[in-house]
Amino acid sequence: MTTTPEARYLSVRQAAFIGVGAMVGAGIFALLGAAGEVAGAAVWVSFLLAGVIAALQGYSFAKLGARYPSAGGLLEYVAKGFGNGHITGITAWLTYAANAIVTAMVAVSFGSYASAVFADESAAWAKFFAALVIVVMTGVNIVGSRLVASAQTVIVYVVVGILVVFAVVTLVNMDPSLLAPSGYPPLRDIVSSVALTFFAFLGFGIITFTAKDLANPSRQLPRAMFLALSIASVIYIAIALGVFGTLTVDEVISSGDTALAVAAEPSLGRAGYYLMAVTALFATAGATNAGLYPAAGLSERLVETGQFPGLMARRFGGRASAGLLIAAVACILLALFFNLDAIASIGSAVALLIFTFITAAHFRVRAETGASAAVLTIAIASAGIVLVTFVLTTLIHETASVITLLAILALSVALDFGWKRTGAARARPVRPAH
């Protein structure tokens, strides 16, 4: 029986919403306070710069995706530029680890909001809800990409709709003097903060993994990429202006994860606080869902190319991907036993490093993709400048973060060299069992 395209493929909107769901839930509810500590009331400028850098990387990814559509997503692009050697292998393990960290962090944020709304705000309840949302969204992903897309569509409509209302209300009632440029910190601090606000855009890379589920990826993937980035950028900038135009920088910092809810109170009252809390639950649930989405396709593709052990491509019961299940277990362990807020900056640093590798790989095959050498050069330079500035001005003062970053890099190198040294990677690839 032939399956119709409508039953098999995602639309541009659905692919874009997977990215929007990952982006919005991953950053805006937890980052405003941290970014405010570095950039002050200029956080909106930081989001604007982060959006430009994400768009430059998005241009590179869209060109690559149009030429090399694959379930391997952005890792396929590294392989095209550098081959299936150690650079691609290390980048693959880095991506797998970084995605687990980001997804677990978002789940922890869900747990915090759920505990505040439904329980007694205890740490135990927060961890329980964090683990629960990972389990539920793993189940959604096991059912298939169509359910992932349908769930994301509902979540994104709810989240974006409420955030638009929030942005309009706060912008109409804001105090422009709170956003006066005279109160902005030095430019280097604003540039340094971009590494934090860029974290809120990390989800756009997940869109590359939808190529296998698009009917015409060469046309649809670029459209989905830029649609998602445009939606997220407008929302972030509007919310940053609204929050920092309603609360002082010190109030935003002291409010922490609940800054959006606190900013809603002056105009919408206590109901506004709870409205934003519920919105946060939807957003973080959606980001957890989208964060788990690449694990199955990524693992299977990397097994085919010899980068991952054959175990990662196994399917239990014909549906449950081992790559997805291992990622889910890693997320649960991270959520239960680590303070992930302390390593949020690590996720951004690793992502900037990965994206730089990908665009550098793209530079080597630009003749095949038709990408502009000038745009790719600017994309590499901008990401590199932000990463170096962040490391030298902020990360260098956080010993624990530096150690964590080095540990992640060392683990990725060890996994790659350890696996390939066994000789198993040179054996005939193990195809997923169906």
Side-chain angles (χ1 to χ4, degrees):
M1 180 181 292
T2 302
T3 304
T4 63
E6 289 75 20
R8 292 179 52 202
Y9 298 121
L10 304 181
S11 66
V12 170
R13 174 179 53 78
Q14 288 174 320
F17 278 12
I18 286 176
V20 172
M23 284 188 280
V24 173
I28 195 64
F29 289 95
L31 282 176
L32 288 177
E37 289 187 76
V38 182
V43 168
W44 73 271
V45 179
S46 181
F47 272 118
L48 176 61
L49 293 174
V52 170
I53 292 173
L56 288 168
Q57 302 297 329
Y59 168 84
S60 173
F61 288 12
K63 286 287 188 179
L64 285 165
R67 178 66 180 82
Y68 310 115
S70 166
L74 49 86
L75 265 304
E76 185 78 10
Y77 312 154
V78 179
K80 291 299 181 183
F82 292 115
N84 283 313
H86 289 300
I87 291 179
T88 299
I90 292 169
T91 305
W93 288 110
L94 273 176
T95 302
Y96 197 80
N99 200 55
I101 291 171
V102 171
T103 304
M105 182 179 172
V106 173
V108 168
S109 183
F110 175 92
S112 298
Y113 277 102
S115 178
V117 173
F118 301 114
D120 56 3
E121 298 190 45
S122 70
W125 274 110
K127 290 183 180 297
F128 168 78
F129 284 120
L132 179 63
V133 74
I134 293 171
V135 171
V136 171
M137 293 308 171
T138 299
V140 170
N141 276 268
I142 288 173
V143 171
S145 60
R146 292 287 298 179
L147 182 57
V148 172
S150 298
Q152 286 303 98
T153 298
V154 173
I155 290 170
V156 170
Y157 273 131
V158 171
V159 171
V160 171
I162 295 176
L163 289 180
V164 167
V165 172
F166 167 84
V168 170
V169 169
T170 52
L171 287 172
V172 168
N173 294 284
M174 73 177 186
D175 179 359
S177 65
L178 293 174
L179 296 167
S182 58
Y184 291 177
L187 179 60
R188 70 173 187 176
D189 289 342
I190 297 175
V191 172
S192 177
S193 74
V194 173
L196 291 172
T197 51
F198 186 75
F199 184 87
F201 288 94
L202 295 188
F204 82 88
I206 286 176
I207 299 172
T208 64
F209 294 97
T210 67
K212 70 182 189 304
D213 297 316
L214 296 172
N216 186 2
S218 63
R219 287 175 55 84
Q220 293 175 301
L221 188 65
R223 292 168 60 191
M225 183 75 69
F226 290 114
L227 175 60
L229 285 170
S230 298
I231 292 172
S233 296
V234 171
I235 289 174
Y236 289 158
I237 294 170
I239 286 176
L241 286 169
V243 170
F244 284 91
T246 301
L247 306 174
T248 65
V249 174
D250 288 340
E251 286 174 330
V252 174
I253 294 172
S254 64
S255 299
D257 290 353
T258 60
L260 269 70
V262 173
E265 282 196 83
S267 301
L268 301 175
R270 193 62 180 172
Y273 179 93
Y274 285 110
L275 177 64
M276 294 311 297
V278 171
T279 305
L281 289 175
F282 272 94
T284 50
T288 304
N289 181 28
L292 290 167
Y293 170 77
L298 174 64
S299 297
E300 291 174 6
R301 179 57 183 159
L302 290 173
V303 166
E304 290 178 4
T305 58
Q307 297 295 345
F308 276 10
L311 167 66
M312 301 289 284
R314 287 190 61 185
R315 292 262 179 179
F316 299 101
R319 299 193 69 93
S321 161
L324 170 62
L325 296 179
I326 292 171
V329 170
C331 290
I332 291 173
L333 293 175
L334 286 166
L336 293 178
F337 299 109
F338 289 87
N339 178 9
L340 297 176
D341 288 342
I343 58 172
S345 56
I346 297 299
S348 263
V350 172
L352 283 167
L353 190 61
I354 291 169
F355 291 171
T356 301
F357 282 164
I358 295 168
T359 306
H362 190 175
F363 205 86
R364 296 165 66 96
V365 295
R366 65 188 185 281
E368 295 185 33
T369 65
S372 164
V375 175
L376 295 181
T377 301
I378 295 171
I380 294 171
S382 61
I385 289 170
V386 169
L387 179 58
V388 171
T389 302
F390 178 63
V391 170
L392 295 180
T393 62
T394 304
L395 201 62
I396 197 170
H397 302 297
E398 300 175 6
T399 304
S401 295
V402 172
I403 292 173
T404 303
L405 177 59
L406 293 176
I408 291 172
L409 290 172
L411 179 61
S412 298
V413 172
L415 286 170
D416 179 67
F417 277 81
W419 158 241
K420 288 174 179 172
R421 193 168 294 167
T422 65
R426 293 190 294 272
R428 184 178 179 180
V430 178
R431 293 283 179 175
H434 295 285

